[in-house]
Amino acid sequence: MCLDDQILNTYLDNELAEPWKSQVEEHLSYCSACKERFEQLKALKQTLQSAALTDEEIAPRQENVLRMISNTRFNTKRASFLRRQFKISIPAFATIAAAFVFVFVGAILHINNGSGNDFIPAAMDSAVDETNVSLVSDAGPAKTIYEYSPSLEEVLDYLDSLGYTVSVTKKGVEPFTFD
Amino acid sequence: MEMRSGDEAAFRQVYEQVFPVVMRVAFHVTYNMDVSEDICQDAFIRFFDKNMVFQTMDDAKFWLIRVTKNLAINHVKRKAREAASMEKLKQVTPTSSYKDGASELLFQETTENVRKAVSQLSEKYKTVIVLKEYAGLDYQQIGKVLNISESNVKVRVHRARKELEALLGMEN
Ligand SMILES: [Zn+2]
């Protein structure tokens, strides 16, 4: 008895188990009609596979998608840094800003005047201390900022890396721009 | 090798191996490169965000292929519905939707004919033939992805080839 297309297709896909596989092979060795039909089915399969999307066509798409996913999913360091910023309570953040103004404005005045520390604004020790600088954390009670701190430089570097121009002003002093 | 899909290192490993496969699946269902890229992106983002545990690389691969296949089939159905409702075409011919998607590519005559023929298959046959010839899955794996029996896969592969043979004029 000759072989039908379904058997031949299954054999072609290398999915035919023994003992049928050997029986098919034996039949194909002497039956030219079945052999011819098998070659046709094989040619069809090859024709189909020849139309497959190529690796060269895929490569740029693979890069595009990975770039997008990297940008939105893999930058966990930045994301956690940002999240931390949002947890700083508003009074604490205001205090950090104030401290920043003192430090940097003080430095500029010092350079411009060359006259010692006269123009540095009032000491910041009363503005920043562990009682009014705290972080709001979801892990238990608030901690002081000194236990884990993004330093002021880190905050500014971070904003700078994002392309922000940070500008802070203090009454009676020229605006200072950090960009 | 157990893995979490939301782990960057594991994700990259799966991505490297599986992206070409799912891109071929998406493309040979939609025959549109840009749509296929969007579909793959969608599938891999879901994969990452769901942070699922997979026992093997193959399990992760089959999950991605299943999601990609569904997104691609949905796209083709939506396109057909849109075309029908717009009534710009008297008849929604697979040829027209195929040409729409293939405009950016230059095909050899045979490649174009083959792709046109595949696009004309019914969803049931198109899916098995794409998974067989373009994703390189075996019958058992196709059954797993489509949630049908292995013997059902065998029958569909056979019938899909019969239709393709007729569409391509390769029958005698
Ligand atoms: Zn025979």
Side-chain angles (χ1 to χ4, degrees):
Chain A
M1 202 177 103
C2 279
L3 307 164
D4 67 24
D5 279 1
Q6 189 169 324
I7 294 276
L8 288 172
N9 270 318
T10 309
Y11 174 70
L12 178 62
D13 288 332
N14 202 21
E15 299 263 3
L16 202 58
E18 294 294 357
W20 302 284
K21 190 180 175 186
S22 297
Q23 289 170 6
V24 165
E25 279 166 355
E26 196 201 342
H27 185 90
L28 290 176
S29 71
Y30 61 76
C31 177
S32 61
C34 286
K35 178 74 179 165
E36 192 187 336
R37 182 61 188 143
F38 175 71
E39 292 302 331
Q40 285 174 346
L41 291 171
K42 196 169 154 186
L44 175 67
K45 187 180 171 80
Q46 284 167 351
T47 302
L48 288 172
Q49 291 184 335
S50 74
L53 193 63
T54 65
D55 291 344
E56 291 70 31
E57 289 170 302
I58 291 171
R61 307 296 175 148
Q62 183 163 354
E63 283 171 25
N64 289 347
V65 175
L66 185 60
R67 196 180 313 117
M68 183 274 165
I69 293 175
S70 302
N71 288 343
T72 60
R73 298 299 191 279
F74 293 164
N75 54 355
T76 51
K77 208 175 168 186
R78 280 177 154 202
S80 70
F81 185 88
L82 249 188
R83 233 173 285 134
R84 220 159 53 172
Q85 293 310 302
F86 290 134
K87 285 177 186 169
I88 297 176
S89 65
I90 289 173
F93 196 78
T95 309
I96 289 172
F100 165 71
V101 174
F102 293 148
V103 171
F104 282 87
V105 170
I108 283 176
L109 291 175
H110 182 77
I111 291 160
N112 289 347
N113 294 304
S115 59
N117 294 330
D118 304 17
F119 288 90
I120 294 178
M124 48 182 267
D125 57 348
S126 63
V128 183
D129 66 33
E130 299 202 11
T131 59
N132 65 356
V133 179
S134 63
L135 287 174
V136 177
S137 164
D138 52 4
K143 297 169 183 167
T144 70
I145 193 165
Y146 303 110
E147 286 177 33
Y148 71 105
S149 54
S151 68
L152 293 174
E153 286 84 352
E154 272 184 292
V155 174
L156 292 163
D157 282 349
Y158 179 68
L159 292 171
D160 184 43
S161 75
L162 292 180
Y164 285 102
T165 294
V166 181
S167 141
V168 285
T169 313
K170 193 178 183 300
K171 255 185 204 168
V173 181
E174 282 283 292
F176 173 71
T177 301
F178 185 95
D179 57 15
Chain B
M1 183 197 71
E2 189 179 292
M3 68 172 83
R4 277 203 161 272
S5 62
D7 171 65
E8 185 182 333
F11 178 92
R12 284 181 183 276
Q13 201 186 345
V14 173
Y15 187 86
E16 186 68 26
Q17 284 195 31
V18 181
F19 187 90
V21 180
V22 295
M23 187 66 190
R24 284 197 180 91
V25 170
F27 179 73
H28 287 284
V29 172
T30 65
Y31 284 118
N32 181 314
M33 285 298 275
D34 291 337
V35 166
S36 299
E37 184 181 317
D38 287 348
I39 286 172
C40 291
Q41 180 169 305
D42 194 352
F44 274 104
I45 283 178
R46 290 181 194 206
F47 180 75
F48 184 82
D49 285 352
K50 279 176 177 281
N51 196 17
M52 297 165 287
V53 174
F54 291 99
Q55 297 308 315
T56 66
M57 173 70 89
D58 271 355
D59 289 335
K61 176 174 155 180
F62 297 152
W63 188 94
L64 281 159
I65 290 176
R66 191 179 304 120
V67 169
T68 303
K69 183 268 295 174
N70 289 340
L71 291 169
I73 293 282
N74 288 343
H75 172 84
V76 170
K77 283 183 182 166
R78 195 167 57 244
K79 275 282 177 199
R81 271 202 307 275
E82 282 169 12
S85 70
M86 281 162 72
E87 288 182 301
K88 279 190 174 170
L89 305 165
K90 284 180 180 163
Q91 199 186 358
V92 186
T93 60
T95 308
S96 63
S97 68
Y98 167 77
K99 274 187 176 158
D100 172 51
S103 55
E104 68 183 81
L105 294 168
L106 284 172
F107 299 131
Q108 288 180 329
E109 185 62 20
T110 51
T111 298
E112 185 169 13
N113 286 341
V114 170
R115 291 178 177 184
K116 195 182 289 180
V118 171
S119 76
Q120 286 178 273
L121 291 174
S122 65
E123 178 191 325
K124 198 163 113 175
Y125 296 153
K126 190 192 294 181
T127 311
V128 286
I129 217 70
V130 167
L131 295 180
K132 180 69 221 151
E133 310 299 7
Y134 301 122
L137 301 188
D138 64 29
Y139 292 176
Q140 192 196 11
Q141 293 169 333
I142 295 171
K144 228 172 157 180
V145 168
L146 299 180
N147 206 17
I148 59 176
S149 73
E150 215 178 307
S151 59
N152 204 337
V153 173
K154 196 188 296 184
V155 172
R156 286 191 197 182
V157 166
H158 160 64
R159 292 191 183 151
R161 283 187 182 144
K162 198 172 172 176
E163 274 195 27
L164 286 167
E165 203 173 27
L167 287 165
L168 291 167
M170 288 175 82
E171 65 199 330
N172 43 347

